[in-house]
Amino acid sequence: MRPDVDTDDPALMIALLLRPALGLRAELTRRNADRCLALMLDSLRARDDAQPLLAREIAVTDLDPGA
């Protein structure tokens, strides 16, 4: 795993993936969920040419479970 990824990163990625984008049909969301998840997980892979991550703007504790 990338050295600049911490425990909040995968949790936030999954939370954002599971919340469908406004305006997208449910069918499109379902069809693309596996592709998006694969892309997100691949981005966590350690590579010599990886660019440093930007500063974190939100954390898991910022997520509103009632939203």
Side-chain angles (χ1 to χ4, degrees):
M1 186 167 298
R2 293 175 57 127
D4 52 353
V5 171
D6 65 31
T7 56
D8 278 356
D9 290 311
L12 285 168
M13 291 167 60
I14 298 300
L16 293 170
L17 177 64
L18 293 175
R19 184 175 186 156
L22 295 176
L24 282 182
R25 295 190 325 259
E27 174 189 342
L28 286 176
T29 301
R30 281 192 304 275
R31 278 198 327 234
N32 288 293
D34 289 342
R35 177 185 168 83
C36 291
L37 180 59
L39 177 62
M40 288 178 167
L41 293 175
D42 188 58
S43 70
L44 297 173
R45 185 169 292 125
R47 294 187 339 229
D48 292 334
D49 62 342
Q51 298 295 316
L53 293 175
L54 300 174
R56 177 182 312 286
E57 298 293 327
I58 61 172
V60 171
T61 56
D62 294 320
L63 297 177
D64 179 6

